[in-house]
Amino acid sequence: MSKIGIIQFAPKLGKVNENIQTINELIASKRRCDLYVLPELANSGYRFKNRDEAVLYSERTTNSPFLNALVAIAVAKEAYLVSGFCERSGDKLYNSSVLVGPEGLIGVYRKLHLFLDEKDIFETGDLGLPVFDTPLGKIGMQICFDWMFPETWRVLAMKGAQLIAHPANLVLSYCQGVVQSYAIINKFFIATANRTGKERDLKFTGQSVLVSPEGIVLKRGEEEENKLIKHEVDLSQALNKHITPRNHALNDRRSDVYGDLNLN
Amino acid sequence: MSKIGIIQFAPKLGKVNENIQTINELIASKRRCDLYVLPELANSGYRFKNRDEAVLYSERTTNSPFLNALVAIAVAKEAYLVSGFCERSGDKLYNSSVLVGPEGLIGVYRKLHLFLDEKDIFETGDLGLPVFDTPLGKIGMQICFDWMFPETWRVLAMKGAQLIAHPANLVLSYCQGVVQSYAIINKFFIATANRTGKERDLKFTGQSVLVSPEGIVLKRGEEEENKLIKHEVDLSQALNKHITPRNHALNDRRSDVYGDLNLN
């Protein structure tokens, strides 16, 4: 069994140290989890005035105060963390998600589908759809608006992901229903960690969800509370893709008709 | 504006004439619709003892009493109809869906994903995922368990389908939530016409839904009632795939990463 903790909170724009402190406080508020999932851009906040401001609040994956803090948590708690991360690489910015464990930074996913003005700030993701094999099970990542694209979730299922960690900064609440559907059709767990609070003209909607492979919302956050939302799950359930003894969510696919998605 | 009518009823096993009569009565119960959608296997019923019984209750698309009755309705009402149809072709059986208009039989879709014991009875669909251009707009078809496979719905959206007519014989009620999600992510209308009633060991669950491109359930049937569920929609809404002025449900797809589905 794995204890999953969704850290729903309101990152402060450009205040990485305050954000680290909030995360530490929320983690300290409950007994340890095996995996923590944080919102999109949890190091930087979201509503940048322009690209220059985003550059200012971005971090490289080397010598990042934010990543160092996550690794320290991972070591102290013997846990894994997935977090949104405003990433600078060379001259480029990415809306990224990092997977961190006691061993350090394990992997990065860069958001494939940018929303609205993010297109002025970030490059589109160029690291594909990685799935990482951890002692907890296989973990894939998606970020916020990726929820509109069933292809990515399907690819992650076909690559064996048992849980999709999904940092988000949602302003509407369509997504939570759709991830329930993605969980059902792909038979994996989804942890959508959505932020709360206001930033400039935007209000974020919380209501983070942990969803089972049957599409059941195991735990849901409130709209405004900052909280560690915790629940224990058996990630091995996601290895069973049988719907009936004669039906299989992935093997029944008719790729002879609709082709196949790229798993490279 | 198009008036969509979902004919939710309990087909009787092997009683094609009674089924035609029920359909005629339900259609006569309200003013005309532009498009009627009926459940899966509406001519034959569902729970065949074995393949031999299914052969007995199947019909060819030529000289079919059931299709002739649908065409007569289409002519009388100047309407289009989509219905599940137990189809015999040569020595083979298909769990099919037909599109009928005043001009006669327009097209056939054969279920791609067979559920449980259907695998002993029907061949898997071999007509791909056709989309038909009617005076109402472009119509695609799916049948019942196809709901588990996001690829088919995506292909139909990419081929321009504005409404998916979805005859079903559902025994559970996961599907209705998932089609709401498919409507949101593909931005088209979905009419899931589910049957009611019992047949041997199976109880069907009704609760047919007409869903908007925003995922809103415009109309939902009860669990047990046999009824023509009617609602007026503007199918041209489904032509607009913009989510924001800068985001598009189909054009934002990252086929460079996850590949593309086969649209042939």
Side-chain angles (χ1 to χ4, degrees):
Chain A
M1 297 292 284
S2 300
K3 296 181 194 75
I4 311 295
I6 294 175
I7 300 178
Q8 175 174 299
F9 80 111
K12 287 195 181 166
L13 194 65
K15 308 278 188 194
V16 65
N17 289 328
E18 280 189 51
N19 295 334
I20 291 168
Q21 196 186 329
T22 304
I23 292 164
N24 275 315
E25 285 167 7
L26 286 168
I27 286 179
S29 71
K30 296 204 174 165
R31 293 182 71 168
R32 71 171 283 283
C33 294
D34 298 295
L35 172 69
Y36 296 95
V37 186
L38 289 96
E40 185 181 11
L41 297 175
N43 60 331
S44 61
Y46 181 85
R47 194 54 165 161
F48 311 111
K49 225 179 295 181
N50 50 41
R51 190 174 181 283
D52 287 346
E53 192 180 53
V55 170
L56 202 62
Y57 301 154
S58 66
E59 296 173 73
R60 299 184 190 280
T61 52
T62 47
N63 300 316
S64 152
F66 189 78
L67 290 192
N68 290 344
L70 296 191
V71 174
I73 294 166
V75 169
K77 299 284 183 183
E78 293 183 60
Y80 291 80
L81 296 97
V82 169
S83 177
F85 182 69
C86 185
E87 182 194 3
R88 190 165 12 140
S89 174
D91 292 336
K92 294 177 175 168
L93 294 185
Y94 296 94
N95 186 335
S96 297
S97 179
V98 292
L99 172 64
V100 163
E103 60 269 52
L105 177 63
I106 296 169
V108 180
Y109 164 71
R110 292 170 173 166
K111 190 174 183 176
L112 288 177
H113 308 95
L114 298 173
F115 187 67
L116 216 50
D117 299 344
E118 292 171 32
K119 296 189 180 196
D120 298 327
I121 294 170
F122 299 107
E123 308 296 315
T124 52
D126 57 356
L127 296 179
L129 290 160
V131 170
F132 298 97
D133 203 355
T134 75
L136 305 174
K138 291 192 175 175
I139 295 176
M141 296 183 271
Q142 290 281 271
I143 301 174
C144 204
F145 183 57
D146 288 329
W147 71 263
M148 278 283 298
F149 300 86
E151 293 88 346
T152 53
W153 305 78
R154 197 58 147 177
V155 165
L156 293 173
M158 291 169 75
K159 285 183 172 180
Q162 292 160 257
L163 179 139
I164 311 302
H166 181 215
N169 280 188
L170 297 161
V171 292
L172 296 172
S173 51
Y174 289 107
C175 165
Q176 286 88 335
V178 173
V179 297
Q180 281 180 263
S181 297
Y182 288 154
I184 292 171
I185 61 183
N186 293 304
K187 296 185 75 59
F188 50 34
F189 291 87
I190 299 175
T192 295
N194 191 26
R195 66 163 288 175
T196 55
K198 280 186 184 180
E199 248 178 42
R200 297 188 169 136
D201 55 328
L202 293 182
K203 165 128 179 47
F204 301 95
T205 52
Q207 300 170 72
S208 299
V209 284
L210 177 65
V211 181
S212 79
E214 297 80 35
I216 295 165
V217 174
L218 300 171
K219 213 85 179 185
R220 180 189 295 268
E222 298 294 328
E223 201 173 328
E224 304 206 340
E225 73 184 347
N226 292 348
K227 193 173 175 178
L228 170 53
I229 299 153
K230 190 178 158 185
H231 198 84
E232 200 167 3
V233 300
D234 177 2
L235 291 182
S236 74
Q237 279 178 25
L239 298 173
N240 176 15
K241 303 295 187 194
H242 276 281
I243 303 156
T244 72
R246 303 186 67 181
N247 290 101
H248 188 280
L250 300 180
N251 296 347
D252 279 11
R253 296 174 68 254
R254 293 291 307 276
S255 53
D256 60 313
V257 174
Y258 40 73
D260 233 329
L261 295 163
N262 177 17
L263 302 187
N264 298 327
Chain B
M1 299 294 283
S2 301
K3 297 180 193 75
I4 312 295
I6 294 176
I7 300 178
Q8 175 175 299
F9 80 109
K12 288 195 181 167
L13 194 65
K15 307 280 188 191
V16 66
N17 289 329
E18 280 188 52
N19 295 336
I20 291 168
Q21 194 186 332
T22 304
I23 293 165
N24 274 316
E25 285 168 6
L26 285 168
I27 286 178
S29 72
K30 295 203 174 167
R31 291 181 71 168
R32 70 170 284 284
C33 294
D34 298 296
L35 173 68
Y36 297 95
V37 186
L38 289 97
E40 185 182 12
L41 298 175
N43 61 329
S44 61
Y46 181 84
R47 193 54 164 161
F48 311 112
K49 222 176 298 180
N50 51 40
R51 191 174 180 283
D52 288 346
E53 191 181 54
V55 170
L56 201 64
Y57 301 154
S58 66
E59 297 174 70
R60 299 183 190 280
T61 53
T62 47
N63 301 316
S64 151
F66 188 76
L67 289 193
N68 290 344
L70 296 191
V71 174
I73 293 166
V75 169
K77 298 285 181 181
E78 293 182 61
Y80 291 80
L81 296 97
V82 169
S83 177
F85 183 70
C86 184
E87 181 194 2
R88 188 164 14 142
S89 175
D91 291 336
K92 293 177 176 168
L93 293 186
Y94 295 94
N95 185 334
S96 297
S97 177
V98 292
L99 172 64
V100 162
E103 60 270 51
L105 177 63
I106 295 167
V108 180
Y109 164 70
R110 291 170 173 166
K111 190 174 185 176
L112 289 177
H113 308 95
L114 297 174
F115 187 67
L116 216 51
D117 298 343
E118 291 170 33
K119 296 188 182 197
D120 297 327
I121 294 170
F122 299 108
E123 307 296 315
T124 53
D126 57 357
L127 297 177
L129 290 159
V131 170
F132 298 98
D133 203 355
T134 76
L136 305 175
K138 290 189 177 177
I139 295 174
M141 295 184 273
Q142 289 281 271
I143 301 173
C144 203
F145 183 57
D146 288 329
W147 72 264
M148 279 281 300
F149 301 87
E151 294 88 346
T152 53
W153 304 77
R154 197 58 147 178
V155 165
L156 292 173
M158 293 170 74
K159 286 184 171 180
Q162 293 160 256
L163 180 139
I164 312 300
H166 180 214
N169 279 188
L170 297 161
V171 291
L172 296 173
S173 52
Y174 290 107
C175 166
Q176 286 89 336
V178 173
V179 298
Q180 281 180 264
S181 297
Y182 288 154
I184 291 171
I185 60 181
N186 293 304
K187 295 186 75 58
F188 50 34
F189 290 88
I190 299 175
T192 296
N194 190 27
R195 67 163 289 176
T196 56
K198 281 186 185 180
E199 248 178 42
R200 295 183 170 140
D201 55 330
L202 293 182
K203 163 125 179 47
F204 302 94
T205 52
Q207 301 169 73
S208 300
V209 284
L210 177 65
V211 181
S212 80
E214 297 81 34
I216 296 165
V217 174
L218 301 171
K219 213 86 181 186
R220 181 188 294 269
E222 299 292 329
E223 201 174 325
E224 302 207 341
E225 73 184 348
N226 292 348
K227 194 173 174 179
L228 170 54
I229 298 154
K230 189 179 160 186
H231 198 82
E232 201 166 4
V233 300
D234 177 2
L235 290 183
S236 74
Q237 279 178 25
L239 298 173
N240 176 15
K241 303 295 187 194
H242 276 282
I243 302 153
T244 73
R246 302 185 68 181
N247 289 100
H248 188 280
L250 300 181
N251 296 347
D252 279 11
R253 296 174 66 255
R254 293 291 307 275
S255 52
D256 60 313
V257 175
Y258 38 73
D260 234 329
L261 295 163
N262 175 19
L263 301 186
N264 296 328

